Amino acid sequence: MENVGLIGLSRQMTLRRQLDVVANNIANINTTGFKAERTLFQEYLSPTAHEDNFSGRDRRVSFVQDRATMHDFAGGPVEPSKNPLDVAIDGNAFLEVQTPAGTRYTRDGSLQINNQGQLVTSSGFPVLGNNGPIVFQQTDHDINISQDGTVTVLEGTNRVDSVRSKIRMVQFASPQQLVKEGSNLYSAGAGANPQPSLTSKLNQGFIERSNVSSVTEMTRMIEVTRAYTELSNMLVSQGDARKTAIEKLADVPA
């Protein structure tokens, strides 16, 4: 295959993966606490000639390579909700949740109480406090979540607050090392050690919306689609030109 075809194919592959990222962002516009992703590209130089009669730039071909996918942890818009269990994180922290695969991290503060009395996320994963999952009793009411994560309730007819737990908020020195999983969760990648967040706060009765901009992502989708179409047309033109050249060479007398 000629270099034109190889370079074009490398670009088409990266455009396809970029389109997957953009499509996933658009699909999660309404997902609470969702963080968008961005694709990073770089030039990959490859030698093309192996004889000494080529020199300088003739020995290199620049391919396109998608180096990584970056998390965009910019804050999303915060809106009030009618659920007193909802919390919006003010800061760079994450909530710790318990999953069958182990501890995971999320920005999804849309919380509720399951049938076992546990405080869980919208996906049903228990939110972790200082002593494990946060559990309420059937007689608990008037649940209050302070900015530092302390959960208090009024139990039965008591008029004195009872502390149930304290929601754990953690942060990472290198949040880009987090690995995005399904259900709006992250797992700690290699070297991503969670540390208690001392500066982040919880706002009760609020939720953080997705930080995805629908206009921006739709614009990116159009750009990627057009770039892919133009590249495909160029490769077709190159193929037609090569075919024409071969046909004309075949007509040249030996």
Side-chain angles (χ1 to χ4, degrees), residues 94-106 125-128 132 168 170 172 178-179 181 185-189 194:
F94 294 82
L95 302 179
E96 281 191 335
V97 299
Q98 186 181 71
T99 74
T103 303
R104 295 295 185 264
Y105 310 93
T106 184
F125 299 116
V127 178
L128 294 178
R168 296 181 61 178
V170 297
F172 298 86
L178 292 174
V179 179
E181 298 183 353
L185 300 176
Y186 295 90
S187 61

Side-chain angles (χ1 to χ4, degrees), residues 3 7 43-63:
N3 289 336
I7 295 173
E43 180 186 30
Y44 175 74
L45 299 178
S46 175
T48 59
H50 300 281
E51 301 296 335
D52 294 335
N53 56 345
F54 291 94
S55 60
R57 296 182 178 178
D58 291 335
R59 297 181 62 89
R60 302 188 304 175
V61 174
S62 297
F63 293 93

Side-chain angles (χ1 to χ4, degrees), residues 126-153:
V127 178
L128 294 178
N130 289 339
N131 299 313
I134 301 172
V135 182
F136 297 97
Q137 301 177 11
Q138 293 184 352
T139 57
D140 290 347
H141 58 91
D142 292 334
I143 299 174
N144 180 73
I145 302 175
S146 64
Q147 290 189 335
D148 68 352
T150 301
V151 180
T152 59
V153 300

Side-chain angles (χ1 to χ4, degrees), residues 16-151:
R16 186 189 65 181
R17 286 192 282 266
Q18 185 180 11
L19 186 61
D20 291 340
V21 171
V22 173
N24 184 63
N25 289 340
I26 294 176
N28 287 279
I29 287 178
N30 295 320
T31 301
T32 303
F34 180 83
K35 299 302 179 183
E37 292 187 322
R38 303 284 179 255
T39 307
L40 301 180
F41 300 97
Q42 70 177 9
E43 180 186 30
Y44 175 74
L45 299 178
S46 175
T48 59
H50 300 281
E51 301 296 335
D52 294 335
N53 56 345
F54 291 94
S55 60
R57 296 182 178 178
D58 291 335
R59 297 181 62 89
R60 302 188 304 175
V61 174
S62 297
F63 293 93
V64 185
Q65 183 180 37
D66 51 339
R67 183 167 61 87
T69 301
M70 181 187 72
H71 306 306
D72 181 5
F73 286 117
V78 177
E79 299 178 357
S81 69
K82 297 181 181 180
N83 182 9
L85 296 177
D86 288 341
V87 291
I89 302 175
D90 181 8
N92 299 322
F94 294 82
L95 302 179
E96 281 191 335
V97 299
Q98 186 181 71
T99 74
T103 303
R104 295 295 185 264
Y105 310 93
T106 184
R107 294 278 299 190
D108 182 5
S110 180
L111 308 180
Q112 55 193 3
I113 299 176
N114 65 9
N115 295 332
Q116 289 75 40
Q118 296 176 326
L119 186 65
V120 298
T121 65
S122 56
S123 299
F125 299 116
V127 178
L128 294 178
N130 289 339
N131 299 313
I134 301 172
V135 182
F136 297 97
Q137 301 177 11
Q138 293 184 352
T139 57
D140 290 347
H141 58 91
D142 292 334
I143 299 174
N144 180 73
I145 302 175
S146 64
Q147 290 189 335
D148 68 352
T150 301
V151 180

Side-chain angles (χ1 to χ4, degrees), residues 26 29 212-222:
I26 294 176
I29 287 178
V212 175
S213 169
S214 58
V215 175
T216 301
E217 297 302 323
M218 289 301 297
T219 301
R220 285 198 178 101
M221 177 173 285
I222 294 173

